[in-house]
Structure formats: C-alpha cells, structure tokens
Amino acid sequence: MPTHTSVRSTALEPRKGAAVSRRLLTVYGMVLVTAALFLLFVLLSPDTFATTLNFRLLAAGNAVPLVLALAVTVPMIAGKIDLSVGYALGLWQVLALSLQLSGLDYRLAILLVLAGGAVVGLVNALLVELAQVDAFVATLATGQVIFAITYWYTGGKQVVDTGGTRAAYFDDLATWSLGPVPGPFVIALLLAVALWVVLEFLPVGRYLYAVGANPRAAELTGIRRRRYVVGSMVVSGVLCAVGGILLSARQGGVAQANIGPDFMLPALAAAFLGSTTIRPGRVNAWGTLLGVVITTIGISGLQQLLPGRFYLEPLFNGLTLVAAITIASLASRKRLASAERHQLVSVPTGKGNQQ
C-alpha cells in the first residue's frame, strides 16, 4: 500500500544536485515575479508607489488579510478548507467593539472574542469529523449562520462608539508601530513566523502535512488524524478572532456587519498561491505571506496607475485565485505522482520477493 506520509516524498522541491536555475525557478519563481512586479510599479509610479507612506499604508491595511490568510492556511495543511473565515471575521470585529460598549473591560472582550473563535472552529471540526460533512459545505454553511447572527445582533446597522466608551488601549492595538512598520503588521508577521516554526521544526507540523497528504496512510502510521484536523480548525477559528480584533481596533469605533466576506477571497487566493512557492506543492507559511504581498503589490500598483477603477481589486483577486487554484491543482497531481514513484522505488522487486 503506498503511503505518502513522508514530507519529502510529497514535496516538489528539486532534488539535490538539480541545476541552480531549475531550483531557483521552481522554489523561488514566485518571489522573482513579486520582485519584478514591484520594480515595474516603481518605474511606472515612482512618486507614489515607492514611498515610505505607501509602505506604511499597505502594511497597516494588509495585516488583517495576512492573519486571515494564515487562518485559511492551517486547515488547508490538514487537507481541509475553511470558508467561514470571512464571516467569522465580521462577527468578531463587531463583538470586539460592541462588548466594550455594553460595559465590559476591553481585555475581557478580547478574551471572549478569542474564546468564541475557538468555539466556531470546534463546531466546524465537529461537523467535518463527527458528522462527516464535506469541509467545503460545512464551513460555508457555518459561515452563512455566522453572517445571519451578525446581522441579527447589529440589526443590519453600523455599531458606532459615539460616546467614546471603548478603551484607548484597544485603539492602541492598531496605532503602535515598530520603527516604520505598523504594529498590526508586526503581529501578523509574528504569527507567520510562529506557524513556520511549528510546520518546519516541530513534529506536529510533520504530522499535519502527513494528514493532509494521505489521511488513511497517516492513521496507519499511528498519527491521530482526527486530533490534528480538529486542532487545525480550532487554530483557524482563533486566528479569525485575532483578525477581527485587529480590524475592530483599526476602524476607530465603527463596526459594520457586512464587512467580513470581502476578506475571504483574498485570503483564499493568498493561501492557494502560497502553495506554489517556497515549498512548492505544499501549503506553507512563507508562501502565504508571499501570496498576500504579491496581491497587495498588484492591486496597489494598478489602482495608482488607473485611479477610480473600483473593479480592479475584485478582478485582480478573482484572476489570482483562478490562477492559484489551477497551479495548485497541477502541482498536487505532480506531487502525488512523485510520491507514487518514490514508493515504487523504495519497494524492492524481484524473484526473491515472490512467494
């Protein structure tokens, strides 16, 4: 029975001894595309694109998309997809503000939001693992329920802190910085680094990759598949809550019920695009970060070249997602074929093995 639990056998990095040019294009091709795209917009819009102000605005504005993309990435590693992330983000950014307006301390409000994120992730996991509902369907349905709850809670209206009830420390989550880098983006980067460390250096990361590559084979090797799937969904839910908190702090006392779903498509595009680079054939933290960077550069550059064209952002995100899914699908087929060849080579054949 072929087993694809080896991280090496399910990756698409060139083998040792491969030409440097091949390794560069296969592993870092998307990095080169990002750099080329950046240089293109620097040349075309030198007065607006390549400025410190633009960098700060882009970094501050993409901290939440990066956190949400990481929330999508974690269950994807385990072979699942979470489509509730955007809807959950909308609910948590509403609750992070409205709980303070109801008199709760901002620290307690943050803890409740984080706990709520874990609960939503657990509900998704129970639907997927216990009820055996397809993750795509289960999380999409959960997302619609969350969206309905958000509209019910707000009455479809904005939640506005007209009296300045929210804590000043809560707003500070979005206004602090580390040198020229906005604080929320620093938080998002730290989360990406933490995910990278877990995936690359800890056993749990290898087990998650094994579960995503072949769940049945992972179980046969003693990996508790269900535990890792549930854990990945819960972590995804908590990351959505973190994104909601940062978004609420950034909006300065205003929360909208319908804002969450707009973040879902870019997050999916970044995660799928990330699986084609750094660790081609596998979803990975640095790839997801690069996916966010390339979409940010592309959208910002086009909007500066063609101001007022509001269709550019959804168009770019949609085309990027189509391209990313296509590349990821082709890479997945190549990965499985590589794993099969790896298994056949490792199994000796000959008359001495015949019974």
Side-chain angles (χ1 to χ4, degrees):
M1 175 183 297
T3 58
H4 308 152
T5 57
S6 167
V7 172
R8 180 171 298 181
S9 68
T10 56
L12 294 178
E13 296 96 330
R15 296 181 178 180
K16 292 183 179 180
V20 175
S21 58
R22 182 190 172 194
R23 181 172 182 81
L24 187 65
L25 291 175
T26 302
V27 179
Y28 301 108
M30 198 62 65
V31 178
L32 298 176
V33 171
T34 304
L37 196 62
F38 176 79
L39 291 175
L40 174 65
F41 289 123
V42 166
L43 294 175
L44 295 177
S45 304
D47 297 330
T48 56
F49 188 81
T51 63
T52 303
L53 176 60
N54 189 48
F55 166 76
R56 290 181 60 87
L57 291 174
L58 292 180
N62 284 277
V64 173
L66 176 54
V67 173
L68 203 65
L70 295 174
V72 173
T73 297
V74 177
M76 281 181 64
I77 295 170
K80 306 298 180 182
I81 189 167
D82 188 351
L83 295 182
S84 68
V85 291
Y87 304 103
L89 179 79
L91 176 61
W92 304 134
Q93 57 96 25
V94 166
L95 286 179
L97 176 62
S98 61
L99 289 176
Q100 294 182 71
L101 300 185
S102 66
L104 285 180
D105 182 84
Y106 80 99
R107 289 163 292 192
L108 181 57
I110 289 174
L111 288 176
L112 288 176
V113 167
L114 292 175
V119 170
V120 169
L122 182 60
V123 170
N124 283 333
L126 292 177
L127 289 173
V128 172
E129 284 300 311
L130 293 185
Q132 293 295 302
V133 181
D134 181 77
F136 186 97
V137 176
T139 56
L140 183 60
T142 303
Q144 291 298 311
V145 173
I146 293 172
F147 203 33
I149 292 173
T150 306
Y151 266 99
W152 165 79
Y153 185 81
T154 61
K157 303 177 182 178
Q158 287 185 336
V159 178
V160 183
D161 181 13
T162 55
T165 306
R166 71 189 186 282
Y169 290 113
F170 183 74
D171 285 356
D172 289 344
L173 290 174
T175 56
W176 72 282
S177 63
L178 186 63
V181 185
F185 194 72
V186 173
I187 294 174
L189 282 178
L190 290 176
L191 290 173
V193 171
L195 180 59
W196 169 68
V197 170
V198 170
L199 294 177
E200 294 297 325
F201 301 104
L202 298 181
V204 63
R206 294 192 292 272
Y207 296 159
L208 276 172
Y209 277 124
V211 168
N214 191 319
R216 180 56 181 160
E219 286 185 327
L220 293 175
T221 58
I223 298 174
R224 297 183 178 180
R225 179 192 59 81
R226 178 167 292 176
R227 172 183 296 182
Y228 288 98
V229 172
V230 171
S232 68
M233 302 294 278
V234 171
V235 170
S236 176
V238 173
L239 287 175
C240 288
V242 173
I245 292 167
L246 293 177
L247 180 60
S248 183
R250 181 171 179 248
Q251 292 180 145
V254 178
Q256 297 176 326
N258 62 346
I259 197 173
D262 294 337
F263 287 84
M264 184 171 66
L265 187 60
L268 290 171
F272 277 108
L273 195 62
S275 68
T276 66
T277 187
I278 308 299
R279 291 289 184 268
R282 298 185 322 200
V283 186
N284 63 92
W286 292 130
T288 297
L289 172 60
L290 184 64
V292 173
V293 170
I294 193 171
T295 54
T296 299
I297 290 175
I299 292 172
S300 175
L302 288 174
Q303 288 178 337
Q304 291 183 33
L305 289 176
L306 303 170
R309 312 293 173 87
F310 300 105
Y311 58 84
L312 287 175
E313 183 171 355
L315 177 63
F316 189 90
N317 283 328
L319 292 177
T320 302
L321 181 59
V322 170
I325 291 177
T326 301
I327 296 172
S329 177
L330 294 174
S332 178
R333 296 176 187 175
K334 184 178 178 181
R335 182 191 65 191
L336 290 177
S338 176
E340 294 289 351
R341 290 195 301 270
H342 180 273
Q343 181 66 24
L344 290 175
V345 170
S346 63
V347 176
T349 58
K351 296 181 179 180
N353 296 323
Q354 297 177 356
Q355 301 294 333

